[in-house]
């Protein structure tokens, strides 16, 4: 009797640069460990697989009070014009320094390792995003299809 393959279900709900990495790194790592993985992209998480957006995800400093800063400053400074591009540039610098792959590269790695990526149907309808706007290989599905997989998962993560 063969052992049941482990499963990991991930919900990706945020579409900022810093929040795109966790679901993709965890999914690609699990897939490399021979785990059956599905990612359900919902709400702003759909930006991670949107061909028009995934190359230019940003970091919002106001949404990340723990974000390291070269100089200490109050969180309210994050609301000033130009702070999002500055925070994004800073994050990209940190990513480059440790030689992480880009978001498009990680999405491609997930596809190559058979990570099943699902875009939330109601989210697409709400935001007027079409299947054609999504990275090739992404399926469009509702919560029920994802839950059919997640209910039997060994690990379920909400990111």
């Amino acid at each position: 009797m063969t052992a049941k393959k482990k499963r990991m279900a991930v919900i990706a709900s945020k579409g900022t640069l810093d929040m795109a990495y966790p679901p993709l790194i965890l999914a690609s790592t699990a897939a490399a460990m021979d785990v059956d993985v599905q990612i359900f992209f919902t709400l702003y998480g759909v930006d991670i697989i949107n061909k028009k957006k995934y190359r230019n995800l940003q970091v919002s400093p106001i949404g990340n009070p723990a974000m390291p800063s070269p100089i200490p400053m109050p969180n309210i400074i994050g609301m000033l014009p130009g702070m999002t591009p500055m925070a994004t540039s800073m994050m990209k610098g940190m990513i480059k320094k440790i030689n992480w792959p880009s978001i498009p590269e990680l999405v491609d790695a997930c596809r190559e390792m058979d990570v099943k990526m699902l875009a939330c149907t109601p989210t697409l309808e709400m935001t007027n995003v079409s299947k054609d706007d999504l990275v090739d290989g992404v399926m469009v599905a509702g919560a029920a299809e994802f839950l059919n997989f997640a209910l039997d998962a060994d690990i379920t993560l909400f990111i």
Side-chain angles (χ1 to χ4, degrees):
M1 183 166 158
T2 59
K4 180 186 133 210
K5 191 171 181 178
K6 292 195 180 293
R7 290 177 152 200
M8 184 170 84
V10 180
I11 299 169
S13 66
K14 295 171 183 68
T16 57
L17 179 63
D18 53 326
M19 293 306 293
Y21 276 94
L24 297 173
I25 289 173
L26 291 168
S28 58
T29 302
M33 297 171 68
D34 199 33
V35 175
D36 192 10
V37 182
Q38 279 193 16
I39 308 174
F40 186 66
F41 296 90
T42 188
L43 302 170
Y44 302 112
V46 169
D47 288 354
I48 298 169
I49 51 168
N50 184 329
K51 290 186 283 195
K52 296 176 181 178
K53 295 184 176 184
Y54 81 142
R55 294 184 189 285
N56 298 304
L57 300 178
Q58 304 252 345
V59 176
S60 171
I62 197 67
N64 295 293
M67 185 175 179
S69 174
I71 54 167
M73 64 180 133
N75 288 339
I76 196 155
I77 300 293
M79 293 173 43
L80 295 174
M83 294 306 287
T84 295
M86 186 181 90
T88 300
S89 177
M90 194 168 77
M91 177 67 74
K92 285 182 176 181
M94 292 187 303
I95 290 166
K96 187 176 182 177
K97 189 176 181 180
I98 60 173
N99 203 26
W100 271 5
S102 68
I103 296 304
E105 290 169 331
L106 278 173
V107 168
D108 287 344
C110 285
R111 287 190 311 183
E112 290 167 12
M113 290 188 268
D114 295 323
V115 171
K116 188 173 181 183
M117 295 184 280
L118 306 172
C120 174
T121 303
T123 296
L124 297 183
E125 292 169 359
M126 178 177 67
T127 57
N128 293 316
V129 174
S130 75
K131 178 152 176 49
D132 292 337
D133 295 328
L134 303 176
V135 172
D136 292 339
V138 173
M139 298 174 58
V140 175
E145 182 165 342
F146 174 73
L147 288 173
N148 280 333
F149 178 87
L151 287 168
D152 198 30
D154 300 287
I155 300 170
T156 304
L157 303 171
F158 179 82
I159 300 173

